[in-house]
């Protein structure tokens, strides 16, 4: 290819697909890279092989949206370059390092849309590393894409909309759901009434999940505290406290999560400015409603820069692409952009409602026992973190990382970063926005040892 | 002893592999994680405490599910498709 390099879209979930589509419709030929073997992202993730279940079985009420997204992406095949099973593991000035089939390629890009999505947000509890304990999203992936249940008698614990959705999906699939343990109080759910105006279908669906679970005899406990998973070589039960009462239950599988957290590593490597987002209690790359980041030519779309759900991700992907076109001086639909922004801000208002209905357990850091493992990669405990903070008089998260190895393991702090920040803030009696966030490092995920360096190229060569 | 229970694909083409030397059978469309956890209860043991682990996120984010293959290569079980003849080592003896 001569002239300017291609735009690069990272992620082929709802946001990445709609971004690629809008770019292709404007005559550009983007390169779309995704680690997964097929498009769809988390929510519309596809199976490796057909298994006799319908898309309705897999995606429920969202099946038509899933089918549309998969179909629309397939229709782009001739107008884009698409690298599935490829990891963007580093970003430098206008250059991406991409691992594909055992070879690392350097790809020059002009315009970058990061649509990297999210994973489960967790705060560590005793026993969370036991076999049989998975994230809520993980429990759903086993069921949806592998046709497997994570146990024969399963407990779902935590908070957020996925808690009820995944419990309901397991029940529907005929699996014994022993209980739903909601870490947020029942009273908080009244906030959902405000949501009825903004997103009636989502709120009613959630209420239906809870009602049907109850109807089938699944106990739902609200405002649970001191959650702990028990077992020796695998999970055998769960324990929690409700008010003054200690309770427990036998089970052989647990799905656990507290909503989602954004996958922000690449935005960090791209040099995007971050700021603290109070709603999500996390540092996020800054973006305006169009998806423009603080770096010219870098656009952020979907859950990767703040959790807003799949519908918003589709809108934001398209909106980010329109911004890229505009910044390149190409024709772009102004009215369409304004319409997308209106719909995005409406969803943003609904997110406020969801956060109020499923509030973050802000007191966790005070209560977590010293023995509890915070980092599952390097096995760093809460007590070690507290001790490090005191011994070295630390007040910044990356310093705590250097001293304790928290966030240095293979997951790069994806599952311990939020918890470590809470413990540090609690220990020095500051708010969590005052302790900073873990800086991303390349490679953003471990690479196969045998990775060979490839020559610099652009995808269209 | 197993962690996962199949509710689909149980009649798909069988794929033979070994888990810590024990012959096992997975199904077409399995990831390594599914193949191992429908036969056993762990994919590895922690290099720090020796505690058994069986993955967590199932989406390639937590890196808790790396296994060792016969050729010495390491694979992330939840994102690697099962292939016939794979020799998977967990180092936990959990397949028993
Ligand atoms: C496990 C899980 C299950 C969920 N289930 C539901 C559900 O059932 N219903 C619901 O309403 N919402 C669900 N959500 C939320 C929903 O998935 C998101 O709101 C939606 O998918 C966001 O779309 P997105 O395009 O922003 O990101 P995603 O759909 O997450 O897509 C991001 C894509 O980027 C790719 N990617 C990221 N980093 C890289 C990289 N460095 N290199 C290459 N590729 C990369 C990923 O492989 C992924 O395919 C779930 C979330 C998770 C994490
Ligand atoms: S289970 Fe998390 S990376 Fe495989």
């Amino acid at each position: 290819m001569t002239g300017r390099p291609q735009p690069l879209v990272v992620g082929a979930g709802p946001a990445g697909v709609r971004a690629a589509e809008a770019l292709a419709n404007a005559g550009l030929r983007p390169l779309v890279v995704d680690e997964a073997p097929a498009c769809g992202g988390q929510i519309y993730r596809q199976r490796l092989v057909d298994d006799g279940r319908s898309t309705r079985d897999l995606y429920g009420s969202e099946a038509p949206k899933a089918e549309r997204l998969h179909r629309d992406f397939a229709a782009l095949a001739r107008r884009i370059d698409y690298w599935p099973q490829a990891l963007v593991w580093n970003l430098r000035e206008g250059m991406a390092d991409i691992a594909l089939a055992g070879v690392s390629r350097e790809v020059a890009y002009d315009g970058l849309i990061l649509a990297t999505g999210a994973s489960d947000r967790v705060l560590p509890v005793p026993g969370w590393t036991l076999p049989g304990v998975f994230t809520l999203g993980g429990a759903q992936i086993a069921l949806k894409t592998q046709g497997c249940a994570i146990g024969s008698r399963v407990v779902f614990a935590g908070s957020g909309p996925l808690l009820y959705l995944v419990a309901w999906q397991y029940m529907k699939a005929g699996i014994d759901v022993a209980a739903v343990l909601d870490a947020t109080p029942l009273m908080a759910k009244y906030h959902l009434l405000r949501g009825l105006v903004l997103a009636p279908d989502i709120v009613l669906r959630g209420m239906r999940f809870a009602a049907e679970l109850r109807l089938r005899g699944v106990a739902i406990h609200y405002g649970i505290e001191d959650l702990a998973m028990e077992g020796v070589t695998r999970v055998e039960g769960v324990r929690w406290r409700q008010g003054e009462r200690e309770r427990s239950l036998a089970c052989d599988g647990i799905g656990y999560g507290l909503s989602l957290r954004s996958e922000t590593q690449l935005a960090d490597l791209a040099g995007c400015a971050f700021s603290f987002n109070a709603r999500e209690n996390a540092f996020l790359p800054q973006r305006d409603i169009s998806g423009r980041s603080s770096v010219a030519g870098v656009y952020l779309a979907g859950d990767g820069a703040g959790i807003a759900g799949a519908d918003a991700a589709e809108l934001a992907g398209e909106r980010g692409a329109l911004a890229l076109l505009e910044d390149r001086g190409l024709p772009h639909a102004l009215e369409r952009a304004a319409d997308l922004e209106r719909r995005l801000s409406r969803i943003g208002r609904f997110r406020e409602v969801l956060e109020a209905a499923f509030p973050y357990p802000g007191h966790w850091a005070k209560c977590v026992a010293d023995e509890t493992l915070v980092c599952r990669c390097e096995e760093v405990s809460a007590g070690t973190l507290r001790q490090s903070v005191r011994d070295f008089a630390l007040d910044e998260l990356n310093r705590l990382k250097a001293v304790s190895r928290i966030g240095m393991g293979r997951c790069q702090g994806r599952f311990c970063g939020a918890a470590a920040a809470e413990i540090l803030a609690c220990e020095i009696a500051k708010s969590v926005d005052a302790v900073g966030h873990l800086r991303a490092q390349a490679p953003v995920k471990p690479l196969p040892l045998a990775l060979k360096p490839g020559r610099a190229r652009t995808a269209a060569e | 002893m197993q962690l996962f229970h199949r509710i689909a694909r149980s009649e798909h083409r069988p794929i033979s592999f070994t888990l810590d030397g024990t012959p096992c059978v997975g199904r077409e469309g399995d990831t390594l994680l599914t193949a191992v956890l429908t036969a056993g209860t762990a994919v590895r043991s922690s290099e720090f405490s020796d505690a058994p682990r069986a993955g967590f996120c199932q989406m390639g984010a937590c890196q808790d599910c790396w296994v060792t293959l016969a050729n010495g290569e390491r694979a992330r079980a939840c994102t690697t498709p099962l292939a016939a003849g794979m020799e998977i080592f967990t180092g936990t003896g959990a397949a028993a």
Side-chain angles (χ1 to χ4, degrees), chain A residues 11 13-15 34-35 41-43 86 88 115-118 137 140 165 266 302-303 309-310 313:
Chain A
D34 196 304
E35 250 196 303
Q42 298 309 342
I43 174 166
V88 179
T116 47
Q140 188 195 50
L165 170 65
L266 288 182
D303 277 2

Side-chain angles (χ1 to χ4, degrees), chain A residues 202-257:
Chain A
I202 298 181
V203 173
L204 292 174
R205 207 184 307 138
M207 289 178 172
R208 183 164 64 82
F209 293 154
E212 288 189 20
L213 282 161
R214 261 199 223 93
L215 212 62
R216 293 262 207 112
V218 177
I220 302 179
H221 301 284
Y222 297 95
I224 65 126
E225 296 191 70
D226 297 347
L227 178 70
M229 289 122 191
E230 301 189 306
V232 183
T233 58
R234 60 180 290 178
V235 69
E236 291 160 24
V238 58
R239 193 160 43 76
W240 73 95
R241 186 169 57 74
Q242 206 148 19
E244 299 295 294
R245 272 181 74 193
E246 295 282 341
R247 311 192 59 166
S248 64
L249 206 58
C251 64
D252 62 2
I254 297 179
Y256 170 60

Side-chain angles (χ1 to χ4, degrees), chain A residues 63-134:
Chain A
K65 290 181 196 164
E67 281 173 11
R68 212 176 309 132
L69 194 89
H70 297 155
R71 196 177 53 230
D72 291 351
F73 190 68
L76 289 176
R78 290 166 164 281
R79 297 191 286 142
I80 65 170
D81 290 297
Y82 170 41
W83 293 357
Q85 288 180 292
L87 173 75
V88 179
W89 62 268
N90 191 19
L91 292 171
R92 297 169 276 143
E93 295 271 297
M95 197 65 96
D97 292 304
I98 304 178
L100 172 66
V103 177
S104 185
R105 298 154 197 253
E106 284 187 337
V107 175
Y109 61 81
D110 184 0
L112 173 67
I113 298 184
L114 294 176
T116 47
S119 57
D120 292 80
R121 176 170 71 184
V122 293
L123 287 174
V125 296
W128 71 303
T129 56
L130 280 169
V133 180
F134 295 95

Side-chain angles (χ1 to χ4, degrees), chain B residues 62-84:
Chain B
C62 75
Q63 318 302 330
D64 205 11
C65 67
W66 287 76
V67 293
T68 309
L69 301 176
N71 59 7
E73 260 181 47
R74 291 168 43 72
R76 196 170 60 195
C78 69
T79 54
T80 307
L82 177 70

